[in-house]
Amino acid sequence: MAREITYRDALREALREEMYRDERVFLMGEDIGHYGGSYAVTRGFLQEFGPERVRDTPIAELGIVGAGIGAAIGGLRPVVEIMTINFSLLAIDQIVNHAAKLHYMFNGQFSAPVVIRTAAGFGQLGATHSQTFEHWYAHVPGLRVVMPAVPKDAKGFLKSAIRGNDPVIFIEHSLIYRNRGEVPDDEDFLLPLEGAEVRREGTDVTLVSWSRGYYLALGAAEELAREGIECEVIDLRVLRPLDLDTVVRSVQKTNRLVVVEEGWRTLAMGAEIAAAVQEQAFDYLDAPVARVGSLEVPMPYARNLERLVVPNKDRVVEAVRQVLYRRQSVSVS
Amino acid sequence: MAKPIVMPQMGYDMTEGTILRWLKREGERVERGEPIAEIETDKVNLEIESFDSGVLLQLVAQEGQTVPVGQPIAIIGEPGERVEAGTAPAVAAADGKARRHERAEQPVGVPVSEVTGAVGDRAPGERVRASPLVRRLAAEHGIDLSRLRGSGPGGRIVKEDLLPLIGRPAAVPEAAPVGVVTPVGPSVPVGPPPPEVAPAPVLLGLPEFELVDLSRMRQTIARRMAESHQQAPHFYVTTVVEMDAALALRQQINAEIEDDAEKVTVTDVLVKACALALRTHRGLNASIVGTQLRLYKRIDIAIAVAVENGLITPFIVDADHKPLGEIARISKDLIRRARTGELRPEEYQGGTFTVSNLGMYGLVEHFTAIINPPQAAILAVGSIVTEPVYRDDGTLVPAQRMRMTLSTDHRVADGVAAARFLAEVKHLLEHPLLLLVR
Amino acid sequence: MTSTVGGRSPGLALPKSELLEMYRQMVLIRRFEEAAAEQYALGKIAGFLHLYIGEEAVAVGAIHAMDEGDHLVTHYRDHGYALALGLDAGPCMAELFGKSTGLVGGRGGSMHFAAASKNFWGGYAIVSGHLPIAVGLGLASRYLGERRVAVAIFGDGATNAGPFHEAMNLAALWKLPVLFLCENNLYGMGTAVEYASAVREMAKKACAYEMPAERVDGQDVLAVYEATKAALDHCRSNKGPYFLEALTYRFRGHSMADPEMYRTKEEVEEYRRQRDPIVLFRNRLIQEGITVMAELDDIDRDVDDIVAAAVRFADESPEPDPQTVTDHVYAGSARAS
């Protein structure tokens, strides 16, 4: 049975259910225990599961992630929380040079089934606290990278990630924790960590995004529908491995593609998607692939400047018009 | 008011001229009679003069560019006047309430010609700019892109520019697997390129005239009809149909129907009959593309609708599977919206066969129509006339008879096929209960 | 902090067979590394090759003190540890040759030996990067109620890097059963300790974490053995982590391409003559009457044969099947549990 809950609650459910199901599952991270988690995902968990299984750590991302890897090799199922994806850079050596490599480099003898939960997001937080790096991790073979947009995927992915045998970078977003959606309450509700989903069908243009960007795309689609432009909106969901087939099939139908991403466009997911689409659907493109991303500057603090930097619905709408060769909108009052 | 300066006809057999040198700059004021450019023709080099005073708002043709006679080389007007990108004088928009988007201004699709918003002309020898999609479609349909100018940035030819030439292309070709890169070759023109609309030569004996611009729709019709007539070898087969039974059935049906929107017209009956006949005569539900015949998997019957600016042919999708009532409902809606300019391009850029009914004008005994490219045939229907007919037993009776003429593209089908098809249509019309059954 | 540097190791309480086994392993490591150097010069081994020559006593002494269930992660100078664990020389050499019969199928090379069957979770090439992993292994052991100790092998250079400090702090903070065993061979790559570390004695760094620490003569295999045993006991009895600094010396360069500009030939010669762990042990065994030279010579010859066979094995083994190049990127989803 499905009921409507928030993204945050979907994560909480996933964690609790998996912790009850398997004693080897435990949590590690900064402020996850006594503080209840900087995004309140683990509130109450310390009281419920105790300090061995809900482990507050010092501020030492590299050490924490490494310990998570070691614990996983040693037979546990750790879920390590890195407060924001900005700080994951401190642990990137552990993630890329260790977790991602073990299984391949040691010829399949063992792996590091560690789940690293982290969050993108912004909100006048300054340059070093407002970035997003999903594409850095999506670049690396050996990692699974997911960035669910809707609560259902958040829960299904997290449970699968915990039960799986690969290191998973599980990227949430601080601005969508309150978003609501239908989520099954089945304790064995698992979603395989693969596949993009067409969430809105359309014929005129394909919009691809993920996480918070998906909601931007959806908003743009609704606005454009009032002008008679029907957007097909795809939630990418999983960034590695990337489901390009779904995107390509859509582009074959609409002949146009706009990728909406929150970070800087240069060398990001949109660049990969555009390259792949022109490889696989070259003869279906009526316009170059458009990518909507952040202005190529470090994030400023001032609100008006931040607004200029981060993509918004209007920029998405503009990009759609561009690939449709429309100069201006004609709306119905 | 801004207007174009065109390449003048300087000699009765001059078809085009090359701009050697502009003598005036963009933005410069010129007086009537002043020379504005030096051009080269087949025979001579000479100066051309402006027929108006005003400011050269835009030099449309570049030095070295060859322009056909009658085509714009510059825009002249008063400062501040907006230059219509594409040089054609403002076309009355088909519909004031643009419910949708700019497409609505160009009713019969955008003719891929100078009319559209080309950002600069293409210099001779310059690379054709076209989207990959367009290249593929052009290759599939045998369209020579080098003769087209596009509405996209830099003159890129985009899908919208091509649609009127090909009808609605398949969204996903059936056998294209994902991940296979289909090589795109240069577009191979098949068959003669569409002829340009050559201007009438200025003969000395002709009287003075008033110059009236053709609406975009008219221009497109002109171009397409010329193209069709020249490219497709038409032949015509006429038959006479006794419509008594059909008319009676129609009356019966309409008596039972309360909703006006569903009342059946003669055209509706014709649509259904043709659609059913095409089921068994699929060779006419086709297009020729190069050396191949495209046998459409669906039967979409277009109906010719006269509108204020000209003619438009919206079509009924999957007509053979639709009952008469639904055909009636759809056709009424299409006709209404055709007249108010509310049709969407995908509703008139397509169709696999056309029915053109002039019977309602009463006086048309029969006529022949020009095929709507890229279709293979069109049925022209005349008025229903009460005429005396000899029955087999020798009696003379009045009958309501209607002549219809099928124009067929001889590349697609022969006389026998056309005749057989026509016979089937006639049979269905004369035994109209079959229209209800299939 | 205790120190056995310069002192005599405790008595030879181990049974002779074990002592001879330790000797054999040291010689095996020595010959294996020498053969590897030769094969590298012949072009059969490529990339990096970090030889353990001169340091054999540390690996042998430490491994011998460990339980079979203890976890092990090491730096990239890991051949000695693999051999001391009892892994066959053939697959070890084949791994260096990049053959499919190698320890990890030719996919790791010199720096990435591993054997899950021995709880040897790998040699790692990012200096100090594996130390947090050792912490995690210790965490798992404690969490699961096991009595395993996670042993982390690293060099003096690693103690200046961030991961070392994060790992030390975590292990001490959480009182985890982790043995930090530092091989101080006086040089981190091409930089002497005094140019890299603010503190000359690595063991002193442990006090920042209130971790007990000890320095031991790394050229004395029995001293290493005893010290490691004691340290492991400490860890195993839930007293938290332990730091052991083994003072040792590598007779060869950091790796094959090292012209050793950072130390004098005289220094190296001195160590070779006076501080060769094998010679020292050999002499000790004979002096203490445990065995005679002839027996040790026999062992030497056996080892020679083993190493020669290992080289042949590696030579004759096939390269990895090209079809497998994309294998093992993912471990896949969990089996039903």
Side-chain angles (χ1 to χ4, degrees):
Chain A
M1 234 227 356
R3 62 264 122 84
E4 205 188 62
I5 59 174
T6 64
Y7 190 100
R8 185 192 341 261
D9 283 342
L11 295 169
R12 292 169 59 81
E13 274 186 14
L15 289 173
R16 280 183 85 245
E17 284 169 16
E18 293 307 300
M19 286 180 78
Y20 273 115
R21 179 184 170 273
D22 184 348
E23 275 186 1
R24 302 171 301 160
V25 177
F26 77 104
L27 314 180
M28 255 198 312
E30 297 161 15
D31 287 344
I32 61 164
H34 296 90
Y35 189 82
S38 52
Y39 297 111
V41 173
T42 51
R43 181 160 299 155
F45 274 55
L46 176 61
Q47 293 73 12
E48 195 170 347
F49 294 100
E52 274 293 295
R53 299 190 72 193
V54 181
R55 192 173 273 274
D56 277 328
T57 66
I59 303 174
E61 279 77 12
L62 185 156
I64 300 165
V65 170
I69 296 169
I73 298 172
L76 299 182
R77 294 259 148 183
V79 180
V80 175
E81 179 178 308
I82 299 184
M83 202 180 281
T84 83
I85 197 168
N86 301 277
F87 314 146
S88 72
L89 301 186
L90 290 157
I92 201 167
D93 174 79
Q94 291 293 320
I95 295 170
V96 171
N97 281 327
H98 293 84
K101 303 285 183 288
L102 296 182
H103 191 66
Y104 185 92
M105 160 164 105
F106 296 132
N107 208 28
Q109 289 189 43
F110 55 96
S111 68
V114 57
V115 176
I116 297 170
R117 280 183 50 242
T118 187
F122 61 93
Q124 292 194 264
L125 302 176
T128 65
H129 279 51
S130 310
Q131 297 162 110
T132 186
F133 293 114
E134 64 271 21
H135 42 294
W136 290 29
Y137 299 115
H139 180 66
V140 178
L143 294 179
R144 291 192 187 270
V145 181
V146 302
M147 205 159 173
V150 299
K152 184 168 107 149
D153 288 348
K155 183 171 182 189
F157 279 172
L158 188 51
K159 287 168 76 78
S160 293
I162 291 171
R163 295 194 201 185
N165 288 333
D166 294 309
V168 178
I169 313 297
F170 189 99
I171 308 173
E172 302 155 13
H173 195 293
S174 64
L175 298 178
I176 64 175
Y177 279 122
R178 288 207 192 89
N179 287 24
R180 303 179 74 83
E182 292 273 309
V183 180
D185 61 9
D186 170 17
E187 271 178 11
D188 283 312
F189 171 63
L190 302 175
L191 287 172
L193 302 183
E194 62 192 16
E197 243 184 67
V198 178
R199 292 206 193 276
R200 183 189 195 278
E201 295 204 357
T203 47
D204 297 323
V205 59
T206 301
L207 297 183
V208 172
S209 194
W210 54 93
S211 192
R212 176 178 167 272
Y214 160 69
Y215 294 97
L216 278 188
L218 218 51
E222 275 158 33
E223 181 175 313
L224 289 160
R226 292 199 279 278
E227 295 173 34
I229 297 175
E230 291 303 327
C231 302
E232 180 144 296
V233 180
I234 295 179
D235 177 4
L236 213 52
R237 300 160 87 233
V238 179
L239 305 180
R240 189 173 190 107
L242 199 52
D243 173 11
L244 288 159
D245 283 358
T246 299
V247 178
V248 168
R249 266 199 304 279
S250 177
V251 171
Q252 285 176 331
K253 183 169 71 160
T254 67
N255 308 125
R256 284 151 232 290
L257 178 60
V258 174
V259 183
V260 180
E261 53 195 339
E262 191 164 286
W264 304 299
R265 293 180 355 157
T266 307
L267 297 164
M269 295 299 305
E272 169 66 26
I273 294 168
V277 164
Q278 67 87 29
E279 268 172 22
Q280 296 181 34
F282 186 74
D283 295 304
Y284 296 90
L285 285 170
D286 196 41
V289 176
R291 298 173 287 152
V292 180
S294 276
L295 219 54
E296 304 264 328
V297 298
M299 186 72 80
Y301 162 74
R303 185 193 306 203
N304 68 322
L305 293 182
E306 186 180 61
R307 282 236 182 89
L308 291 177
V309 170
V310 185
N312 55 32
K313 185 178 64 153
D314 289 341
R315 302 234 320 259
V316 179
V317 168
E318 191 185 301
V320 169
R321 295 226 181 85
Q322 185 191 313
V323 299
L324 279 164
Y325 300 108
R326 305 286 162 76
R327 297 293 171 264
Q328 70 264 4
S329 73
V330 180
S331 57
V332 182
S333 47
Chain B
M1 148 100 191
K3 58 192 275 229
I5 297 176
V6 302
M7 179 66 74
Q9 177 98 39
M10 310 290 284
Y12 74 93
D13 61 347
M14 175 180 168
T15 57
E16 62 188 20
T18 304
I19 310 267
L20 287 178
R21 197 159 64 92
W22 281 105
L23 301 171
K24 297 286 184 186
R25 287 187 311 278
E26 215 174 86
E28 208 177 331
R29 182 138 206 111
V30 302
E31 295 306 318
R32 181 189 171 129
E34 261 194 282
I36 52 172
E38 215 179 298
I39 65 166
E40 179 189 73
T41 71
D42 284 346
K43 306 234 177 86
V44 294
N45 293 0
L46 33 78
E47 283 178 355
I48 56 175
E49 65 191 39
S50 173
F51 294 109
D52 296 288
S53 299
V55 170
L56 285 178
L57 296 172
Q58 186 185 345
L59 297 184
V60 172
Q62 292 159 11
E63 289 181 357
Q65 188 172 346
T66 302
V67 182
V69 166
Q71 294 305 316
I73 56 172
I75 314 274
I76 190 167
E78 288 311 312
E81 274 175 352
R82 254 187 63 235
V83 176
E84 220 73 19
T87 69
V91 174
D95 175 22
K97 45 175 167 66
R99 166 190 46 79
R100 291 176 53 81
H101 37 73
E102 292 151 38
R103 278 183 188 170
E105 284 179 8
Q106 300 147 6
V108 189
V110 177
V112 186
S113 67
E114 305 72 22
V115 178
T116 60
V119 180
D121 286 333
R122 194 164 51 243
E126 197 183 306
R127 194 178 170 286
V128 172
R129 289 186 193 184
S131 78
L133 174 66
V134 161
R135 287 186 189 278
R136 173 168 68 82
L137 294 174
E140 286 171 10
H141 288 85
I143 294 168
D144 179 4
L145 290 177
S146 65
R147 300 194 139 267
L148 308 180
R149 262 187 223 103
S151 63
R156 181 189 301 154
I157 305 168
V158 297
K159 176 173 158 182
E160 235 186 64
D161 302 326
L162 212 55
L163 283 183
L165 299 183
I166 62 176
R168 192 149 144 247
V172 181
E174 297 78 44
V178 167
V180 172
V181 180
T182 46
V184 177
S187 59
V188 176
V190 176
E196 299 192 316
V197 180
V202 177
L203 297 178
L204 295 174
L206 289 177
E208 279 195 8
F209 51 83
E210 177 197 334
L211 212 53
V212 174
D213 294 302
L214 290 180
S215 70
R216 285 189 195 175
M217 178 191 276
R218 267 261 77 85
Q219 288 189 45
T220 304
I221 294 169
R223 193 180 44 76
R224 280 166 58 80
M225 291 296 100
E227 192 183 293
S228 173
H229 206 244
Q230 199 191 74
Q231 282 188 278
H234 285 51
F235 71 92
Y236 311 98
V237 182
T238 306
T239 189
V240 188
V241 180
E242 284 190 24
M243 289 294 283
D244 302 67
L247 290 175
L249 179 64
R250 173 180 164 247
Q251 245 185 335
Q252 260 188 295
I253 291 171
N254 285 344
E256 297 293 325
I257 291 177
E258 297 186 347
D259 185 1
D260 278 345
E262 242 184 348
K263 288 206 192 284
V264 176
T265 65
V266 172
T267 305
D268 297 328
V269 173
L270 289 165
V271 165
K272 179 80 185 199
C274 288
L276 286 177
L278 284 172
R279 260 194 205 169
T280 44
H281 293 84
R282 304 207 43 232
L284 290 175
N285 192 53
S287 293
I288 181 163
V289 180
T291 56
Q292 291 178 307
L293 207 56
R294 190 172 286 194
L295 296 170
Y296 294 111
K297 293 192 178 179
R298 207 179 55 208
I299 298 172
D300 298 344
I301 307 290
I303 48 181
V305 181
V307 297
E308 192 185 288
N309 295 340
L311 184 69
I312 195 165
T313 51
F315 54 92
I316 295 150
V317 172
D318 210 21
D320 59 317
H321 289 119
K322 292 190 158 71
L324 275 171
E326 197 177 339
I327 291 178
R329 192 186 289 279
I330 294 173
S331 68
K332 274 192 211 8
D333 177 58
L334 288 172
I335 292 167
R336 180 185 65 78
R337 288 192 291 118
R339 296 206 171 120
T340 57
E342 286 175 60
L343 285 178
R344 293 192 296 280
E346 56 264 28
E347 291 179 306
Y348 55 81
Q349 292 174 5
T352 60
F353 182 92
T354 303
V355 171
S356 182
N357 186 2
L358 287 181
M360 60 282 278
Y361 292 97
L363 50 87
V364 176
E365 183 193 73
H366 88 287
F367 71 106
T368 58
I370 298 181
I371 296 169
N372 226 351
Q375 295 170 16
I378 182 169
L379 187 68
V381 179
S383 311
I384 302 175
V385 187
T386 309
E387 292 176 353
V389 175
Y390 281 103
R391 289 278 176 252
D392 289 336
D393 59 3
T395 54
L396 197 61
V397 296
Q400 310 215 59
R401 305 220 294 169
M402 177 185 84
R403 275 150 192 81
M404 49 189 205
T405 303
L406 181 74
S407 308
T408 309
D409 183 341
H410 214 314
R411 299 172 299 174
V412 174
D414 299 334
V416 173
R420 285 204 180 121
F421 167 76
L422 210 54
E424 173 88 23
V425 177
K426 175 180 155 90
H427 181 78
L428 288 168
L429 289 172
E430 292 178 348
H431 301 83
L433 285 176
L434 292 171
L435 299 176
L436 302 177
V437 156
R438 294 189 193 158
Chain C
M1 184 187 80
T2 63
S3 172
T4 60
V5 177
R8 298 177 65 78
S9 75
L12 301 159
L14 291 169
K16 174 180 173 181
S17 60
E18 281 188 42
L19 294 169
L20 289 185
E21 178 57 19
M22 287 166 84
Y23 173 80
R24 192 191 71 84
Q25 283 184 341
M26 288 169 67
V27 176
L28 174 61
I29 295 170
R30 176 67 59 92
R31 295 287 168 263
F32 182 95
E33 297 290 74
E34 286 168 352
E38 191 185 327
Q39 294 301 314
Y40 189 99
L42 291 173
K44 307 272 199 54
I45 299 177
F48 293 120
L49 191 68
H50 303 93
L51 299 174
Y52 204 61
I53 295 174
E55 306 190 29
E56 298 85 351
V58 183
V60 171
I63 297 292
H64 203 75
M66 284 165 65
D67 283 357
E68 266 192 19
D70 288 338
H71 297 296
L72 177 69
V73 286
T74 74
H75 47 25
Y76 44 79
R77 200 179 300 279
D78 53 0
H79 314 161
Y81 284 91
L83 294 169
L85 278 170
L87 294 166
D88 283 340
C92 289
M93 188 63 73
E95 184 60 37
L96 298 181
F97 278 43
K99 300 296 182 81
S100 66
T101 52
L103 213 55
V104 283
R107 297 157 76 95
S110 166
M111 300 193 288
H112 302 299
F113 280 16
S117 58
K118 301 274 187 186
N119 300 303
F120 172 29
W121 306 112
Y124 289 85
I126 306 292
V127 172
S128 83
H130 57 299
L131 297 182
I133 294 180
V135 169
L137 288 163
L139 176 60
S141 168
R142 225 266 301 284
Y143 187 110
L144 294 168
E146 297 167 343
R147 282 172 46 82
R148 307 159 93 172
V149 179
V151 178
I153 313 294
F154 54 98
D156 43 281
T159 65
N160 304 314
F164 166 78
H165 294 279
E166 295 194 26
M168 292 279 284
N169 181 57
L170 284 173
L173 177 70
W174 292 337
K175 283 177 99 106
L176 296 177
V178 181
L179 172 56
F180 292 90
L181 203 164
C182 176
E183 295 177 340
N184 183 357
N185 59 15
L186 306 183
Y187 295 90
M189 291 202 295
T191 304
V193 161
E194 56 262 33
Y195 292 115
S197 176
V199 171
R200 286 287 192 92
E201 296 173 17
M202 302 302 106
K204 276 195 180 165
K205 303 195 187 195
C207 77
Y209 308 101
E210 303 238 315
M211 193 187 299
E214 190 181 326
R215 306 184 89 201
V216 65
D217 179 0
Q219 306 308 82
D220 180 340
V221 65
L222 292 181
V224 172
Y225 167 79
E226 293 288 346
T228 307
K229 199 109 185 69
L232 289 169
D233 283 344
H234 170 99
C235 297
R236 231 183 281 286
S237 38
N238 287 327
K239 293 191 184 138
Y242 203 93
F243 188 98
L244 199 55
E245 177 186 3
L247 290 162
T248 182
Y249 197 85
R250 52 173 165 77
F251 294 166
R252 301 277 186 108
H254 165 74
S255 67
M256 290 305 291
D258 185 359
E260 298 179 63
M261 308 291 281
Y262 45 87
R263 55 188 188 181
T264 62
K265 283 206 170 59
E266 290 73 29
E267 181 188 287
V268 178
E269 269 313 302
E270 181 71 18
Y271 268 92
R272 269 191 212 276
R273 272 201 307 263
Q274 313 277 15
R275 305 282 291 142
D276 185 329
I278 295 177
V279 171
L280 289 173
F281 193 46
R282 200 182 158 97
N283 292 342
R284 157 72 64 71
L285 289 173
I286 293 170
Q287 274 163 24
E288 302 280 348
I290 308 288
T291 181
V292 294
M293 194 178 310
E295 197 169 13
L296 296 176
D297 288 347
D298 280 345
I299 292 177
D300 287 357
R301 269 190 294 276
D302 277 343
V303 166
D304 284 342
D305 290 341
I306 288 172
V307 171
V311 173
R312 268 196 312 277
F313 173 76
D315 256 333
E316 289 160 13
S317 288
E319 283 180 337
D321 177 359
Q323 303 283 349
T324 63
V325 72
T326 50
D327 288 354
H328 301 311
V329 174
Y330 285 139
S333 50
R335 286 171 290 274
S337 54

